[in-house]
Amino acid sequence: MSQFRLARLCLVLAAVGLSTPALIPAVHAQDKPAAAAEAPKDTVRPELFKLLDPAAIKPLMDAKNYAEVQSRVQQAEAFPNRTPYEDYVVNRMKLSLGSATNNNEIAIPALEAVINSGRMPPNEQADFIQALANMHYNAKDYPKAIEWFKRYQKESSTPEKVAPALTRAYYLGGDFAAAKAALLPAIEATEKAGQKPSEEDLRLLASSANRVKDDAGYLTALEKLVAHYPNDDFWTDVLNRGVARKAGFDPQANMINVYRLEAVTVKKMAPEEYVDLAELSLRDGFPTEAKETMDAGYAAGVLGQGSNAKSHAALRDKATKGAADDAKNIAAGEASAAKAKTGAGLVNLGWAYATMGQGDKGVTFIQQGIAKGGLKNPEEAKLRLGMAQARAGKNAEAIQTFQTVKGGGGAGDLAKYWIVHLNQKQGGGAQTASAQ
């Protein structure tokens, strides 16, 4: 996660200065010797003002003579029996000094005192509260940052303004459950408004869910990342967690289909995945698909290397020979598939044609096989129909087909992820898998 830096206090307090406080004229005090010694409200005694006179302080600050400014502040702090307003003036000056010198030990307590003085208008008060929260955040004091971000939300008319920073303070402070609880509704609201959540928010959601061992929450975040910011890592992880590792997954029927979807969603698969897909394709009688897979692995530069180079070459040769034989003999199987009692032969024939680049013909045969019935796994047949339609460039029809796949064993999960992929491919928006 990129470091989330907040605006420095000096930016928020750029206009902070000390307006000239009212003074008790010396003559006034002499004219009324019997008057109470207590100073009027919102005034500063002349001897204190002499130390903090803005006309004297400004050139010192401009010249970066901070040592002299600090000396004056310390002398002012030594004055006995300061009034609340005099405390307020001293703390405003300490705040300016601390901000200018990046000294949190001076700035933070001064800022807190100014906020708690009760002398600031609400809009300025909110800005100062946010500034204090930011300072604690940048100092990595996340519990204090959370405290002040929450106070901002309570007292400000724009509580949403600090929501991202509060969420990150939860996360960086180790309260992953709170971070997750804050992120998910915010992300869903963004999506509902037709906007794209930030990748950082989605990564934070995934990480927070993972930290609290919320597998379902992690998968939700991962599906959103695949939908909005697809990359090889996200697709591989979502197919692993969202299909292959799910309870009830049928590897015998659908592991090959996991690889088929992975092959079209990532730039490069792992060497063993190319090999597995090729071997499974040969097992099921689709040598052209096996050859296509091995060729892709070689083109990606991950096959034909190292100690497995010979076995890769042998598998590729086997697939190539089988593909050539299949191309010569496939038409001869049409009549027997049509006469068979079930539609399984037609479905397999159609998929074989689809892998040979004859998508339209393949789609027709698979549709005939599904209509004929008697299939051991009709949902897997519909899954292959959708894949054949996608190979034929009929993405809209493929999406409609995938929407009808409801079966277990991984078929339904694969179908929903195919829909995500095809929506992205045809620019139909980043609809998440959970929205299918």
Side-chain angles (χ1 to χ4, degrees), residues 298-309:
Y298 272 87
V302 298
L303 296 184
Q305 308 290 326
S307 60
N308 292 319

Side-chain angles (χ1 to χ4, degrees), residues 322-336:
D325 292 341
D326 211 25
K328 293 177 184 177
N329 303 321
I330 188 170
E334 294 180 14
S336 59

Side-chain angles (χ1 to χ4, degrees), residues 144-224:
K144 293 296 290 185
I146 290 167
E147 174 188 335
W148 285 98
F149 282 133
K150 284 184 173 180
R151 180 166 171 180
Y152 176 90
Q153 290 186 322
K154 183 178 180 181
E155 298 186 19
S156 168
S157 60
T158 56
E160 71 284 351
K161 186 176 179 181
V162 299
L166 175 59
T167 298
R168 284 153 177 78
Y170 281 137
Y171 182 88
L172 294 170
D175 192 347
F176 304 115
K180 180 172 73 76
L183 279 163
L184 186 57
I187 288 169
E188 289 177 341
T190 299
E191 290 178 323
K192 189 175 181 179
Q195 299 173 351
K196 186 177 181 178
S198 74
E199 183 175 356
E200 185 178 14
D201 278 351
L202 294 175
R203 284 179 177 270
L204 276 175
L205 177 60
S207 181
S208 297
N210 189 49
R211 292 295 190 99
V212 297
K213 302 186 185 306
D214 178 3
D215 292 340
Y218 179 83
L219 182 58
T220 294
L222 192 56
E223 288 177 343
K224 293 180 184 298

